[in-house]
Amino acid sequence: MSEELTRLRVTLMQRLGEVEAAAREWGVRPDHPEGRFVTALMQAQSGLADVALAAAGTFDTATGEVRLWVNTMRETEEAHARKLEAQASAAEAKGEVVIAAVVDKMVPAATAALSGAVVIREKRRSMGLNLAWLAGGAAITLSLIGGGYAWKAAEDRSAVAFHERCLRAAVRAEASGRLYCPVESLTDVASLQQQQRR
């Protein structure tokens, strides 16, 4: 687990400790219904924190694997580009030998025009292959990065919605001045209203 995730876990545990301390200040007794409710709520929050931290750890691991894969793909593309360049150089060298033989046998003006056309065509083909490999690698890299961001945004959507509901319905305790999230805000009010209409 990364240092950032460890810090986040410590912060979450401190927050749960604050909830427990607040419950004691209010005189909530563990053996009464409200005490059992607070205990169950804290255990649920702790479980939710563990799930969120595990998901974040999994995302960090997946991100590292994607980075490794992208680096491997880049190195492979570079190796292919070098191989194609070597093949193009070899083909160019062979072409130059052939052209030299033709130049020796044919009219100098005609052979000069042919050698220039062959070299230009070979260079264009070589450049086209290199650009195709680079474009393919760039497209794969961009799709992986975009997919990772979309996945992270989809995973964070419910947590952000919960946080916003909690902040909209927050209640300030008169004694301590702290903000507390009422139990009603823990669920999606719109979905509860739809269920009640049915």
Side-chain angles (χ1 to χ4, degrees), residues 69 136-149:
W69 186 81
I140 289 171
T141 301
L142 289 175
S143 66
L144 287 172
I145 290 171
Y149 279 115

Side-chain angles (χ1 to χ4, degrees), residues 119-144:
V119 170
I120 289 171
R121 187 173 359 126
E122 191 62 33
K123 284 182 179 178
R124 284 183 184 162
R125 188 181 75 76
S126 176
M127 186 169 34
L129 288 173
N130 287 340
L131 288 176
W133 276 102
L134 292 174
I140 289 171
T141 301
L142 289 175
S143 66
L144 287 172

Side-chain angles (χ1 to χ4, degrees), residues 1-2 18 28 36 40 43 46 48 50 54 63 68 114 139 141 154 156-157 168 171-172 175 183:
M1 190 179 298
S2 71
E18 290 174 8
V28 174
R36 290 192 301 270
Q43 288 173 347
S46 176
L48 182 61
D50 289 341
T63 301
L68 177 64
L114 283 175
T141 301
D156 289 348
R157 187 176 299 136
R168 279 195 301 261
V171 176
R172 185 176 300 277
V183 174

Side-chain angles (χ1 to χ4, degrees), residues 1-11 53 56-57 60:
M1 190 179 298
S2 71
E3 186 177 321
E4 184 178 332
L5 291 177
T6 304
R7 273 197 308 260
L8 183 58
R9 182 168 180 69
V10 168
T11 301
L53 289 171
D60 284 348

Side-chain angles (χ1 to χ4, degrees), residues 110-197:
T111 56
L114 283 175
S115 70
V118 170
V119 170
I120 289 171
R121 187 173 359 126
E122 191 62 33
K123 284 182 179 178
R124 284 183 184 162
R125 188 181 75 76
S126 176
M127 186 169 34
L129 288 173
N130 287 340
L131 288 176
W133 276 102
L134 292 174
I140 289 171
T141 301
L142 289 175
S143 66
L144 287 172
I145 290 171
Y149 279 115
W151 181 31
K152 180 66 174 160
E155 283 190 0
D156 289 348
R157 187 176 299 136
S158 62
V160 169
F162 168 79
H163 183 69
E164 288 175 355
R165 284 194 312 271
C166 182
L167 287 178
R168 279 195 301 261
V171 176
R172 185 176 300 277
E174 292 181 19
S176 65
R178 293 183 181 149
L179 287 176
Y180 293 95
C181 186
V183 174
E184 297 85 23
S185 69
L186 297 178
T187 59
D188 185 4
V189 176
S191 66
L192 287 177
Q193 289 173 349
Q194 288 177 355
Q195 289 176 357
Q196 290 173 352
R197 289 181 197 148

